[in-house]
Amino acid sequence: MPTPDVLVYTRTAGYRHDSIPDGADALAALAAGRGLTAEATEDPAAFTAGGLAGRALVVLLSTTGTVLTPEGRTALEAYLRGGGALLAVHAAANAEPDWPFYGDLLGTRFAGHPPLQPGAVLVEDAGHPACAPLPGRWEWTDEWYEYASHPRAAGVRVLLRADETAYEGGTLGDDHPIAWCRTVDAGRFLFTALGHAPEAYRDPVFRAHLDGALTWLLG
């Protein structure tokens, strides 16, 4: 049996989002729309050189805490540097807290969020496929993530920002990144902080954001 093209990893060692099954289903559907197969797993044994070989994309879907073995970390880093693609969604910002490579990749660390509430997303990079289908100002309800340091300072390409005037509890001011990407050697990485609620993954605009992320990640 051939290895599925997309690996959606959903293991949690901390808070577990109710939206994980919905997210996995949405990503599988988006992959299928491209003629790709997907599998979701909680098994860290999937992360070996052989297990990642030939994968078009790996997704960390609201993973929290330490979810990889030391061997899995080595395999994922080698996969990404060697030309792989990694999508980190929502609580994946709170994954692998003691793995320096992942912290450098993300460019910051999760530091909490105000209560779930309506707000607005501002498109910064309209030419990027993850932003192109979105309105310039997008009304949206989510957990508006805060970070331990400013991701822009780490050299990421910011795609979307949160409009802190549209919700309560933001601390980053006018420049509050909410999705960004970067290249790592031959590989590509994209993070979106959006995607808390199950219904998000049935929303056509959010799905368009994810589908555009896949466009960029798959090259």
Side-chain angles (χ1 to χ4, degrees):
M1 182 176 176
T3 300
D5 304 296
V6 178
L7 177 66
V8 181
Y9 193 49
T10 60
R11 186 177 180 85
T12 52
Y15 182 83
R16 186 170 184 86
H17 279 76
D18 293 339
S19 59
I20 285 174
D22 301 84
D25 288 347
L27 288 159
L30 294 173
R34 297 166 180 273
L36 303 176
T37 58
E39 68 169 328
T41 184
E42 304 266 316
D43 187 357
F47 288 83
T48 64
L52 298 181
R55 301 275 192 183
L57 175 68
V58 174
V59 183
L60 302 180
L61 177 59
S62 282
T63 45
T64 53
T66 299
V67 292
L68 296 173
T69 65
E71 295 78 13
R73 291 176 173 181
T74 298
L76 182 56
E77 180 176 350
Y79 162 80
L80 185 59
R81 290 189 183 279
L86 180 63
L87 172 63
V89 179
H90 195 55
N94 202 20
E96 295 298 309
D98 62 346
W99 184 18
F101 171 76
Y102 188 69
D104 291 344
L105 181 67
L106 193 62
T108 188
R109 294 289 189 178
F110 171 77
H113 58 78
L116 179 75
Q117 60 188 299
V121 176
L122 304 174
V123 170
E124 173 158 329
D125 193 338
H128 192 282
C131 306
L134 307 182
R137 178 185 173 85
W138 171 28
E139 304 294 328
W140 185 246
T141 296
D142 220 304
E143 292 178 332
W144 303 98
Y145 273 15
E146 296 284 327
Y147 315 110
S149 60
H150 203 294
R152 199 185 294 271
V156 302
R157 177 182 175 182
V158 175
L159 306 177
L160 304 174
R161 302 191 319 277
D163 179 0
E164 288 196 1
T165 68
Y167 71 95
E168 299 294 328
T171 66
L172 291 177
D174 292 341
D175 185 17
H176 186 141
I178 210 76
W180 57 83
C181 65
R182 71 190 324 157
T183 56
V184 184
D185 293 343
R188 292 186 172 198
F189 170 77
L190 189 147
F191 168 70
T192 180
L194 304 174
H196 169 75
E199 56 269 23
Y201 296 91
R202 297 185 289 276
D203 182 275
V205 180
F206 183 58
R207 285 175 73 110
H209 169 52
L210 292 177
D211 194 49
L214 297 191
T215 296
W216 182 81
L217 286 161
L218 297 171

